[in-house]
Amino acid sequence: QLQLVESGGGLVQPGGSLRLSCAASGFSLDRYFIGWFRQAPGKERERVSCISHRFANTYYADSVKGRFTISRDNAKNTVYLQMNSLKPEDTAVYYCAADPVGCHLYPPQYEYWGQGTQVTVSS
């Protein structure tokens, strides 16, 4: 009943762009902090970005600063991750996660998770 669904992933060349969406159903995202995580094969899941629910404060991993932008549209109950200047090392499954408490760094602290969307950056 309470779900997050990611979309917008795909195959893109280095230097290209993708816009990921995280749509909520069964609850309102405007009451949750939303994080974007990614996980590449053989690596741990890492947080790439997060946005707060009150003032839209944003956080970014050093590896994506200046290239990725997180935003939210409460009317659409959706959070976005605009990814520009993509690099091969950005290749991963991208997940969105929601929690009412804060922009946690570690995955176990989030209450809700989507199923992920694959992003592949390759020439």
Side-chain angles (χ1 to χ4, degrees):
Q1 183 177 354
L2 303 178
Q3 298 184 60
L4 294 172
V5 179
E6 302 94 339
S7 62
L11 175 64
V12 65
Q13 294 184 346
S17 298
L18 286 173
R19 188 192 193 198
L20 305 184
S21 298
C22 174
S25 62
F27 65 101
S28 296
L29 284 184
D30 62 1
R31 301 184 69 179
Y32 288 81
F33 298 79
I34 307 299
W36 281 100
F37 288 76
R38 66 186 182 188
Q39 188 166 23
K43 297 183 179 180
E44 294 186 351
R45 192 169 299 187
E46 64 172 344
R47 194 186 77 179
V48 299
S49 188
C50 191
I51 188 167
S52 70
H53 65 80
R54 291 191 66 185
F55 302 107
N57 299 120
T58 59
Y59 306 88
Y60 299 95
D62 288 342
S63 59
V64 307
K65 285 182 179 178
R67 299 189 297 120
F68 291 11
T69 302
I70 190 171
S71 62
R72 68 193 308 157
D73 187 336
N74 290 336
K76 296 181 178 179
N77 213 25
T78 301
V79 172
Y80 304 97
L81 185 68
Q82 178 67 45
M83 306 186 296
N84 299 324
S85 302
L86 284 163
K87 305 174 181 179
E89 51 262 45
D90 295 319
T91 296
V93 177
Y94 283 71
Y95 302 87
C96 63
D99 192 82
V101 176
C103 273
H104 311 296
L105 184 61
Y106 301 106
Q109 296 176 285
Y110 287 82
E111 185 173 348
Y112 299 107
W113 286 88
Q115 295 300 307
T117 184
Q118 177 71 48
V119 172
T120 302
V121 184
S122 177
S123 59

